[in-house]
Amino acid sequence: MMKILAFINSDYSSWGLMVQFGILSLMLLVANIIRRKVKVFRTLLFPTAIIAGFLGLGLKYLIIGLDVTIQGEYLISNSFLEGITYHAIAIGFIAMGLKSVKKEGTNELKGRPFKTGLIIVSTYLIQGAIGVIITIVTFNFFKGITPFSGLLLPMGFGQGPGQANNIGGIFEQNGFIGGKSFGLAIATIGTIWSSVLGIYYINKKSGEGKVKRAREEESKDVTNEVIESKNEIPVSEAIDKMSIQIIFVAVVYLFSYLFMEIITTLIKVEAITGLIWGFNFIFGMLFALLFKLLLNFLQKKGWMKRKYTNEYMLNRITGVVFDYMIVASIMAINVSMIAKAEFWITLLVLTTIGGFVTYYYLRLVVKKTYPDYEHEAFAVLFGNLTGTASNGIALLREIDPDFKTPASDDLVTGSSTAVLFGTPILLITGIIYLDGWYYLWGSLALMIVLFFVFFYFLIRKDKAK
């Protein structure tokens, strides 16, 4: 048995946390070297975090096999990995929510927020309906697969590993053994779909002469205007400008926690409280929007003379936490939980059909919604709705490296409006696993009806953006 020095009964007992964080960072560093040196990963825009996640997953099981521990616990603990996954999604969405969604000097929203919000939520709905239909069928062959587990398809594909982990945990508490690992596996496969099929689309359109692909990754000069634009606080004075961004994110998350704590204390219904804590990122996004309104109000009244938020730095915060979220989510997968054939067969069927349905559905609605920047909008939305926001931005950079189209703005503003349109999905997630056939079939029927309602508003010709 191999042991690591345990700092017991001393002020240094917190080293276990730092060692685990250091391991995640080391995996990202090694993965970045691999991605830079192995052409196939570079060509496919394979995210560094995905490579790091699989490296870390292998390391985790090596450590378990060697029985390497620190302070009585394994050097890489699943509780730490799941904690990173859980909180990172909320922190990332808060940073996105604090960004400006209006054009400079106007009240006009950037991009097409309402249409984009409809596309995002309608994609969740079609993914959810297809997923549940598949698991209803596979349940007749594999009793380890619950009929409602297909709802993890939009959680993993559409909302990423953080939400797949959260809702998988709720499903685990309600009869789906291995729900977290199943959801995280879906999210991981979804990220691979975003890279492979996303690059296929870009290469296809590039070959047709419709877009120009940026073949090489180029570093760009970051001008003073980006980090210190007009009326903003300086980069460093009494407090560092990046510190301000982190403080805002942390304060918003604190108030989100206090709100969720109050609500769950008042309600005390286990199914609802689990759902509220599971959707921490939605409350984080809502409080970010409220906080942004407060800052705008203070500026309008003249009580706050300068702008304190900075879009460039908020983007960096989002990128960092999403990178760590992806690494931690893959490393948190419990391979033994999903090693059975019934899990892998269901996973492959679910993600393959889900991947193609997402691809062709987005091809249909994006062409009608964004005729002036169709390919850029498809790249960012497909990457986001099969992987994460980071995947969407990575694909977009290949054909719009300078963000000349509003596609990147659509991702931010659309995510904000999707929170409002997506309320019924919250209800469905909270009832689909309850006893009684009508909860399962009623949830499926509701997803189908809502999908067609949203689809109607998407294809209807009007002046809405």
Side-chain angles (χ1 to χ4, degrees):
M1 181 181 291
M2 183 178 177
K3 296 286 183 181
I4 300 295
L5 177 62
F7 298 95
I8 300 171
N9 299 323
S10 75
D11 293 335
Y12 308 112
S13 57
S14 60
W15 266 103
L17 177 67
M18 298 310 299
V19 167
Q20 293 184 86
F21 191 76
I23 290 172
L24 261 64
S25 302
L26 180 62
M27 294 301 100
L28 278 166
L29 181 61
V30 173
N32 190 56
I33 295 171
I34 292 173
R35 187 183 185 277
R36 297 294 301 173
K37 299 300 180 183
V38 181
K39 187 177 180 181
V40 65
F41 290 139
R42 210 166 56 248
T43 304
L44 287 175
L45 288 185
F46 220 69
T48 298
I50 284 282
I51 303 169
F54 281 111
L55 287 174
L57 185 62
L59 178 63
K60 183 180 82 169
Y61 279 95
L62 176 64
I63 286 172
I64 291 173
L66 295 175
D67 199 22
V68 181
T69 62
I70 182 169
Q71 297 170 228
E73 294 185 4
Y74 282 116
L75 195 57
I76 302 176
S77 106
N78 258 31
S79 59
F80 169 79
L81 297 171
E82 290 170 1
I84 292 289
T85 305
Y86 174 77
H87 292 295
I89 185 176
I91 294 170
F93 269 82
I94 289 170
M96 288 173 63
L98 289 173
K99 291 176 59 180
S100 174
V101 295
K102 292 186 178 181
K103 294 179 180 178
E104 191 72 27
T106 73
N107 286 321
E108 186 180 349
L109 292 171
K110 295 178 181 178
R112 296 172 184 173
F114 298 105
K115 287 286 189 178
T116 306
L118 285 172
I119 288 176
I120 290 172
V121 177
S122 65
T123 305
Y124 293 165
L125 290 167
I126 195 171
Q127 287 173 341
I130 292 293
V132 171
I133 289 170
I134 290 170
T135 50
I136 286 174
V137 172
T138 55
F139 174 69
N140 293 306
F141 300 95
F142 309 126
K143 296 305 177 184
I145 302 295
T146 55
F148 57 80
S149 58
L151 192 59
L152 287 172
L153 180 63
M155 300 304 160
F157 267 35
Q159 297 185 13
Q163 195 60 1
N165 177 71
N166 296 353
I167 303 305
I170 293 173
F171 285 2
E172 220 169 67
Q173 296 168 12
N174 290 276
F176 182 32
I177 299 172
K180 279 188 178 181
S181 292
F182 191 80
L184 291 172
I186 289 174
T188 301
I189 297 171
T191 306
I192 295 171
W193 269 94
S194 73
S195 298
V196 176
L197 204 54
I199 287 300
Y200 161 79
Y201 177 84
I202 287 173
N203 285 338
K204 180 182 177 184
K205 296 305 171 184
S206 177
E208 295 171 358
K210 295 180 179 178
V211 296
K212 183 179 180 181
R213 183 176 175 188
R215 291 288 176 184
E216 299 293 333
E217 295 179 351
E218 296 179 358
S219 59
K220 290 175 147 184
D221 291 332
V222 180
T223 62
N224 289 336
E225 288 74 19
V226 172
I227 300 179
E228 194 171 332
S229 57
K230 186 180 179 182
N231 295 327
E232 284 192 0
I233 59 172
V235 173
S236 182
E237 50 173 9
I239 188 170
D240 193 89
K241 192 171 186 175
M242 177 59 94
S243 297
I244 290 290
Q245 315 307 310
I246 295 172
I247 288 167
F248 283 168
V249 171
V251 168
V252 169
Y253 202 22
L254 172 63
F255 279 98
S256 305
Y257 163 76
L258 293 174
F259 179 78
M260 291 187 289
E261 180 68 29
I262 291 169
I263 293 296
T264 52
T265 301
L266 293 174
I267 295 177
K268 292 183 179 178
V269 177
E270 188 175 344
I272 297 177
T273 56
L275 197 63
I276 289 171
W277 290 114
F279 279 94
N280 62 329
F281 81 99
I282 287 185
F283 293 103
M285 173 71 89
L286 290 174
F287 273 90
L289 297 176
L290 290 174
F291 188 77
K292 188 166 57 181
L293 288 174
L294 174 62
L295 293 179
N296 291 340
F297 174 77
L298 294 175
Q299 274 192 301
K300 187 176 180 181
K301 289 292 184 181
W303 298 337
M304 191 171 72
K305 302 297 183 183
R306 295 180 295 181
K307 183 182 176 184
Y308 280 77
T309 56
N310 179 270
E311 313 230 342
Y312 175 81
M313 292 183 176
L314 288 170
N315 277 334
R316 302 288 66 76
I317 293 173
T318 302
V320 169
V321 295
F322 278 1
D323 280 341
Y324 276 97
M325 177 182 72
I326 293 169
V327 179
S329 68
I330 296 174
M331 290 177 65
I333 295 174
N334 188 334
V335 176
S336 62
M337 283 274 196
I338 55 174
K340 298 176 182 177
E342 60 192 49
F343 276 88
W344 282 109
I345 292 171
T346 305
L347 272 172
L348 290 174
V349 172
L350 196 64
T351 54
T352 301
I353 295 176
F356 282 117
V357 166
T358 303
Y359 179 86
Y360 287 108
Y361 174 65
L362 288 176
R363 288 286 292 115
L364 172 66
V365 294
V366 164
K367 187 174 183 178
K368 292 179 177 293
T369 308
Y370 314 95
D372 43 345
Y373 54 101
E374 172 193 347
H375 308 300
E376 292 82 0
F378 178 86
V380 76
L381 286 172
F382 180 75
N384 183 56
L385 288 167
T386 51
T388 65
S390 300
N391 297 114
I393 294 298
L395 289 173
L396 179 62
R397 282 186 183 278
E398 286 295 297
I399 52 178
D400 184 16
D402 298 319
F403 298 142
K404 292 179 179 178
T405 68
S408 60
D409 296 319
D410 284 320
L411 183 60
V412 177
T413 57
S415 296
S416 302
T417 53
V419 171
L420 303 176
F421 295 139
T423 304
I425 298 177
L426 292 176
L427 173 64
I428 292 168
T429 308
I431 66 172
I432 194 170
Y433 53 78
L434 298 177
D435 290 335
W437 62 269
Y438 36 85
Y439 288 112
L440 174 65
W441 291 97
S443 297
L444 177 59
L446 181 58
M447 283 190 284
I448 294 171
V449 170
L450 286 173
F451 167 74
F452 282 108
V453 170
F454 284 12
F455 183 68
Y456 166 75
F457 284 108
L458 272 175
I459 62 173
R460 188 181 66 172
K461 293 183 179 179
D462 56 26
K463 294 181 181 179
K465 289 188 176 182

